[in-house]
Amino acid sequence: MTNLRLYTNPMSRGRIARWMLEEVGQPYDVTIIQHGPDMKEPDYTSINPMGKVPTLIHKRQTITETAAICTYLAEAFPEADLKPDADQLGTYYRWLFFAAGPVEAATANEAMGFIPSDEQAKSSGYGTFETMYDTLVNAVSKHDYICGSKFTAADIYLGSQVRFGLQFGTLPGHPILEAYRDRLYSRPAAVRANKLDDALMA
């Protein structure tokens, strides 16, 4: 048994946490939670009351929410070098939580057919889908990685949102987004993580 356990499902955001763990390079255990009633069983909701995956257990700490898992692991294992230098920390947190907030909310609302009115957009955290999308494309167009020349945990989370969005059509295709996705998903840890999850799906 290791100090790290991931509760996940290969058809979920748990794939992001798996990729992050592969980048960290520490041994970890995996518990697969099936969608449906299993996620709402008391044994699991006692760990994650939302009844969703992923959940990470590290020693005595429980971490839920995928962006939090990525942030936590980058800080818990500094030897993996998945945080930027001090002068880029603001950029790192900015885009990591942009992905967890405006990108997540805008794409979910768009997929479910909720389009904010002009008045609603004024108080919406992302304004409009178009504003979010243009901001995203511009952000990833400037450098190879979101913080510049260094790959970080923010790329894992933001890059996963880009990949899922392009795959499921919740983000319109764009050469800049596609190049960013391809650059990230060619990393050995991403390849390993995808193989592990794809094997579980098979």
Side-chain angles (χ1 to χ4, degrees), residues 9 33-41 44-45 50-52:
N9 183 287
I33 307 292
Q34 298 298 330
H35 288 292
D38 287 2
M39 287 193 185
K40 308 303 180 184
E41 287 290 330
Y44 185 62
T45 56
M50 290 290 288
K52 292 182 177 292

Side-chain angles (χ1 to χ4, degrees), residues 178-190:
E178 291 157 11
Y180 178 64
R181 173 202 60 195
D182 295 346
R183 189 157 51 249
L184 300 183
Y185 276 85
S186 66
R187 292 178 62 82

Side-chain angles (χ1 to χ4, degrees), residues 154-174:
D155 291 295
I156 294 176
Y157 191 78
L158 180 61
S160 296
Q161 295 298 333
V162 168
R163 183 193 183 211
F164 294 156
L166 295 173
Q167 180 179 357
F168 296 109
T170 54
L171 288 173
H174 194 292

Side-chain angles (χ1 to χ4, degrees), residues 10 15 18 32 191-202:
R15 295 182 79 104
R18 164 95 75 175
I32 302 300
V191 173
R192 288 196 306 272
N194 277 319
K195 284 184 177 178
L196 290 167
D197 279 326
D198 289 346
L200 289 171
M201 290 177 64

